[in-house]
Amino acid sequence: MNDQSLPMERIDVTSKVYGKFDHNAMNLYLNKEKIGRILFSNQGNQYELAEGFEFDQDKIFHYERAMEKNGKYVEDCDLGWC
């Protein structure tokens, strides 16, 4: 089974996202990777997010491929590093 055939899973990443101000916007980051920005204006805030991210009901979500429920996450755990 390849990754493309796995369903997408919607993950709430709000608590892991942080922002840095930049003029009239706030750049948004997840794990040091820029995922978008919030533009501030008199007409309200505008959210621009990278592909795979969504702003919904005051939360930020990331869409990821779901892992197989019966599949292994790591193989060869007897090597002692996992």
Side-chain angles (χ1 to χ4, degrees):
M1 177 184 280
N2 66 26
D3 286 346
Q4 296 300 320
S5 64
L6 294 173
M8 295 298 284
E9 191 172 357
R10 186 179 185 211
I11 310 291
D12 181 356
V13 295
T14 307
S15 64
K16 298 176 184 176
V17 174
Y18 62 94
K20 292 183 181 179
F21 282 105
D22 181 27
H23 302 290
N24 290 338
M26 181 183 295
N27 292 321
L28 300 174
Y29 296 87
L30 176 65
N31 299 326
K32 298 183 181 180
E33 178 183 343
K34 185 177 176 184
I35 63 165
R37 65 185 181 156
I38 304 171
L39 300 171
F40 303 111
S41 72
N42 293 335
Q43 291 79 30
N45 299 341
Q46 180 182 349
Y47 293 79
E48 295 178 352
L49 297 173
E51 185 176 341
F53 290 90
E54 176 184 42
F55 181 77
D56 184 28
Q57 298 180 15
D58 293 330
K59 294 185 179 196
I60 297 175
F61 295 92
H62 184 220
Y63 286 90
E64 299 176 357
R65 294 272 175 213
M67 293 190 58
E68 290 182 67
K69 299 297 180 197
N70 297 330
K72 292 182 180 179
Y73 182 72
V74 177
E75 293 182 11
D76 297 325
C77 276
D78 57 326
L79 298 176
W81 56 266
C82 51

